[in-house]
Amino acid sequence: MALAVRAPRFQPRPASVSAPAASSSSSLAAAAANARPRAGAAVRTAAAAASPFTEATSSSRYRRDAWSYAADGSSKPAPPSSSDAAAARRDDEIALQLPELRRLLDALRASRGRGAEGEGGAGGLGRVALVGTGPGDPELLTLKAVRVIEAADLVLYDRLVSNDVLDLVGEGARLLYVGKTAGYHSRTQEEIHELLLSFAEAGANVVRLKGGDPLVFGRGGEEMDFLQQQGIRVEVIPGITSASGIAAELGIPLTHRGVATSVRFLTGHSRNGGTDPLYVAGNAADPDTTLVVYMGLSTLPSLAPKLMKHGLPPDTPAVAVERGTTPQQRMVFSLLKDLVDEVKSADLVSPTLIIIGKVVALSPFWVESSEHDALKIENSYASEAR
């Protein structure tokens, strides 16, 4: 059907000196008015806008992370405890990979006996908070998440944590990027576990920032389980998962009386990588169920036919949403049978969420897309008649 670019309700703060300016509401509205433009002009314009997320090209990310690559520092290293061989091995790994991180760890350990009584002081263990940051709009953060972020000593954050959220981290805190993208992990999951443990044992208040919700395709359960087994107190602060945040932004009810009786979240990633999605059971293709596919761009060409093979009607409404709830949001509405071609034509990029189900047709943007396509066909017939 059609691609649309929409300015969400959130308007970003003024950009920092080195950050690219965000698209204005007027330009986004103009792009929306010209959905599915000639030769994809508006598609390219929107795609070129600065990403709100911490991709590898983010100047904000590197500015905030610069400390971890510093060659000098004033903290005097403290020898690891000889009674804890596992901790010593972790220290060696940290020292080899991030010398400045090791200095921070040593400084925290040296101050344990001088801090205030209670958590993080007087030799006590620190804590780890697994915090969900939602789909991108910082105004969707919970008040509890903001308080924890502002009080952190060390923040480990993922690729899909928006730069606006990172701006909330206190000036005295350290940030460390541990993001993952398809085919590349800056840190293995095991390394992330050990980093969380090392700093919690040193008495730090550690915050693990994750896009969306930590316990929805965020591997938060693995981190929580590992830390709790080591005696570390873990707090989980939920975030608005992308399915809820983006569906609300588009006016799509995930369930609706008489239309959809259930909703199912699917991962578009294959456990072993590649382009073949995880097995889709027959009940995932239930016409009365809304399907929400996370991280499904690369596997969509395999997933869509599989859903139709299991019985989902080819004319089921669907939408793919890139960078939902941010000023760079783009939407492709289509019937399921055409979704792969439409997404490819629009050249959507990660992160993109896919919603499939009859409820998609309840969105006001579905009506606009349908009217646009009908007008386009009518104009085509009129031109041929002339």
Side-chain angles (χ1 to χ4, degrees), residues 36-172:
R36 203 74 188 283
R38 292 183 300 276
V43 175
R44 289 197 297 270
T45 300
S51 172
F53 300 112
T54 53
E55 274 108 353
T57 56
S58 168
S59 59
S60 297
R61 170 192 144 189
Y62 282 112
R63 186 170 60 254
R64 291 303 303 265
D65 285 356
W67 67 273
S68 64
Y69 307 102
D72 58 354
S74 57
S75 300
K76 184 178 180 180
S81 171
S82 59
S83 62
D84 193 341
R89 284 195 296 273
R90 289 198 304 271
D91 287 354
D92 290 340
E93 289 298 313
I94 292 171
L96 285 172
Q97 297 178 51
L98 291 173
E100 182 67 11
L101 190 62
R102 171 61 185 272
R103 285 190 284 271
L104 176 61
L105 182 58
D106 292 335
L108 286 167
R109 285 175 175 158
S111 66
R112 287 175 69 186
R114 299 192 299 270
E117 295 291 335
E119 289 182 10
L125 293 177
R127 67 177 183 181
V128 174
L130 307 181
V131 180
T133 64
D137 182 347
E139 292 188 346
L140 295 179
L141 280 172
T142 65
L143 292 174
K144 191 171 187 179
V146 172
R147 285 196 293 266
V148 169
I149 291 170
E150 292 175 339
D153 295 316
L154 178 71
V155 176
L156 280 68
Y157 65 99
D158 282 347
R159 181 175 71 96
L160 297 185
V161 174
S162 73
N163 290 312
D164 287 291
V165 172
L166 294 182
D167 287 341
L168 299 173
V169 178
E171 289 296 327

Side-chain angles (χ1 to χ4, degrees), residues 264 266 279-287 289-291 307 310 312 356:
R264 180 167 181 171
L266 302 174
Y279 176 73
V280 179
N283 61 355
D286 179 4
T289 295
T290 302
L291 299 180
L307 288 171
H310 279 296
L312 199 60
I356 302 170

Side-chain angles (χ1 to χ4, degrees), residues 137-385:
D137 182 347
E139 292 188 346
L140 295 179
L141 280 172
T142 65
L143 292 174
K144 191 171 187 179
V146 172
R147 285 196 293 266
V148 169
I149 291 170
E150 292 175 339
D153 295 316
L154 178 71
V155 176
L156 280 68
Y157 65 99
D158 282 347
R159 181 175 71 96
L160 297 185
V161 174
S162 73
N163 290 312
D164 287 291
V165 172
L166 294 182
D167 287 341
L168 299 173
V169 178
E171 289 296 327
R174 299 298 196 186
L175 286 89
L176 182 64
Y177 178 70
V178 293
K180 302 180 180 71
T181 188
Y184 172 72
H185 292 182
S186 65
R187 293 273 165 183
T188 66
Q189 192 62 43
E190 290 72 24
E191 287 173 335
I192 293 172
H193 288 172
E194 297 297 345
L195 285 166
L196 293 171
L197 177 59
S198 295
F199 280 88
E201 288 180 336
N205 286 327
V206 185
V207 170
R208 176 77 169 96
L209 292 182
K210 294 174 175 289
D213 183 273
L215 303 183
V216 179
F217 300 127
R219 303 189 72 170
E222 297 173 41
E223 295 170 3
M224 179 173 58
D225 182 58
F226 172 81
L227 292 167
Q228 287 176 339
Q229 288 186 31
Q230 308 302 319
I232 302 299
R233 186 181 131 196
V234 181
E235 180 180 18
V236 179
I237 299 176
I240 295 179
T241 190
S242 297
S244 297
I246 293 174
E249 183 76 6
L250 271 59
I252 298 174
L254 292 176
T255 61
H256 191 79
R257 185 176 178 183
V259 179
T261 57
S262 64
V263 58
R264 180 167 181 171
F265 297 167
L266 302 174
T267 173
H269 276 185
S270 170
R271 183 169 297 170
N272 298 318
T275 58
D276 187 49
L278 296 175
Y279 176 73
V280 179
N283 61 355
D286 179 4
D288 295 326
T289 295
T290 302
L291 299 180
V292 183
V293 186
Y294 289 68
M295 307 163 290
L297 270 183
S298 62
T299 56
L300 182 62
S302 177
L303 177 63
K306 184 173 288 190
L307 288 171
M308 290 185 283
K309 180 180 179 181
H310 279 296
L312 199 60
D315 61 353
T316 300
V319 61
V321 189
E322 174 194 307
R323 299 170 180 174
T325 77
T326 76
Q328 292 78 15
Q329 173 177 294
R330 296 195 300 155
M331 307 169 283
V332 172
F333 287 89
S334 171
L335 300 178
L336 178 59
K337 64 184 177 66
D338 302 319
L339 184 60
V340 172
D341 291 337
E342 294 287 351
V343 167
K344 184 178 180 180
S345 175
D347 195 24
L348 296 189
V349 300
S350 174
T352 291
L353 187 84
I354 299 165
I355 304 176
I356 302 170
K358 291 182 289 186
V359 291
V360 173
L362 299 177
S363 168
F365 296 101
W366 176 267
V367 175
E368 292 175 7
S369 299
S370 300
E371 291 174 349
H372 173 79
D373 281 355
L375 180 61
K376 184 177 178 181
I377 294 172
E378 182 180 336
N379 291 339
S380 175
Y381 288 156
S383 299
E384 290 176 0

